[in-house]
Amino acid sequence: MEKIRLSKEVKDKSVILLDMDDTIYEYKPCHESALKKVYEVYKKTKNVSYGSFLLKYENAKKEVKKLTKNQGASHSRFLYFQHMLETENKKTMFSETVLFSKIYWDSFIKKMTLNKWVIPFLKYCKNNDKKVVVVTDLTSEIQFRKIIKLGIKDYINFIVTSEEAGIEKPSNIIFKLALSKIGEKEKAAIIIGDSYIKDKSSRIRSIILKDKIVLY
């Protein structure tokens, strides 16, 4: 079993507010693999390079984020592909949008693997009666699928997504919702994540992972 080192602060808290993306698994390899799978289908009808495809995707992503700022929908690949295809075709491409979104997320989730420290840490939490709430941006259905695929659902007490909360991290609203589900106060909790910007709260202590194996 992978050894983990825990700070006294983590040991002293009874609630763990745990980030998901780029904390318990690595996001980038999954995202890149998923986009390439979409491109393989896209290029069958469009004679464009992968670089051109990525530019179209990124432009669509920027436009969607402008419309859905600080909402879970700002991460919606479905909306990215919808906007990209509408811009290109001057109409809504219903079947293609559904297909691209499905290919992307099926490929992404298939590629995911847990970082080595995660299972030992979650077992430690369960064995020591610490409650774990996943607090994550993005849409709920996708994050549920990730947790099921990673095989950790039995270690998680609750999940709160930015789609459910109506606002993104680091808003205290999303962390407050997480604590209300578990029935605990802010002083009982600690946030564990990868982002100095997102995984923090003015009312809850946070720990940022220095690497993906050991918690300091």
Side-chain angles (χ1 to χ4, degrees):
M1 180 181 290
E2 186 73 23
K3 292 183 179 180
I4 57 174
R5 284 183 286 169
L6 300 172
S7 70
K8 185 177 183 297
E9 292 165 308
V10 174
K11 291 178 180 179
D12 288 345
K13 301 298 183 180
S14 60
V15 179
I16 309 299
L17 303 180
L18 183 64
D19 177 52
M20 181 183 297
D21 302 299
D22 255 345
T23 294
I24 66 173
Y25 78 96
E26 291 189 50
Y27 168 86
K28 187 176 179 180
C30 303
H31 173 65
E32 291 178 345
S33 176
L35 278 181
K36 286 176 181 177
K37 292 291 186 183
V38 175
Y39 174 67
E40 288 174 7
V41 176
Y42 176 84
K43 71 179 181 180
K44 291 178 180 179
T45 57
K46 300 288 183 179
N47 184 25
V48 298
S49 67
Y50 182 59
S52 296
F53 166 78
L54 287 180
L55 182 60
K56 292 173 184 285
Y57 173 86
E58 290 297 329
N59 287 339
K61 177 180 174 180
K62 289 177 184 177
E63 291 304 312
V64 169
K65 284 188 174 295
K66 287 180 184 177
L67 294 171
T68 58
K69 188 175 181 181
N70 292 328
Q71 300 175 45
S74 66
H75 301 276
S76 172
R77 294 347 182 237
F78 191 99
L79 293 179
Y80 299 170
F81 291 129
Q82 177 187 344
H83 189 88
M84 182 184 84
L85 291 167
E86 285 179 346
T87 300
E88 185 175 71
N89 294 280
K90 308 305 179 187
K91 64 176 183 178
T92 299
M93 307 295 288
F94 293 95
S95 298
E96 292 84 350
T97 300
V98 171
L99 177 63
F100 286 6
S101 180
K102 184 178 188 306
I103 291 171
Y104 178 92
W105 282 120
D106 286 352
S107 301
F108 188 108
I109 290 169
K110 184 178 180 180
K111 182 79 172 176
M112 294 171 65
T113 57
L114 279 174
N115 288 322
K116 292 180 180 179
W117 62 267
V118 178
I119 292 298
F121 177 66
L122 292 177
K123 285 183 177 180
Y124 163 82
C125 290
K126 192 165 189 176
N127 292 337
N128 289 273
D129 200 29
K130 295 181 184 295
K131 306 302 182 184
V132 179
V133 185
V134 170
V135 184
T136 174
D137 290 336
L138 224 148
T139 54
S140 296
E141 181 184 358
I142 294 301
Q143 301 304 68
F144 274 54
R145 287 179 63 189
K146 289 178 184 178
I147 286 175
I148 293 168
K149 159 55 167 70
L150 291 170
I152 58 173
K153 63 184 179 65
D154 292 336
Y155 296 103
I156 306 300
N157 296 93
F158 289 98
I159 183 173
V160 174
T161 68
S162 57
E163 180 184 36
E164 178 185 6
I167 194 165
E168 299 246 278
K169 296 188 293 183
S171 170
N172 280 318
I173 292 172
I174 194 169
F175 296 115
K176 185 176 180 180
L177 177 57
L179 290 171
S180 72
K181 286 190 177 188
I182 210 75
E184 287 283 2
K185 303 293 185 182
E186 291 158 342
K187 65 181 181 180
I190 191 164
I191 301 166
I192 297 177
D194 71 294
S195 173
Y196 288 98
I197 297 173
K198 289 281 191 174
D199 299 309
K200 69 176 185 178
S201 165
S202 60
R203 302 173 185 174
I204 305 170
R205 179 76 173 91
S206 64
I207 297 285
I208 304 302
L209 297 181
K210 302 300 182 184
D211 59 44
K212 305 303 182 189
I213 307 300
V214 180
L215 288 179
Y216 290 98

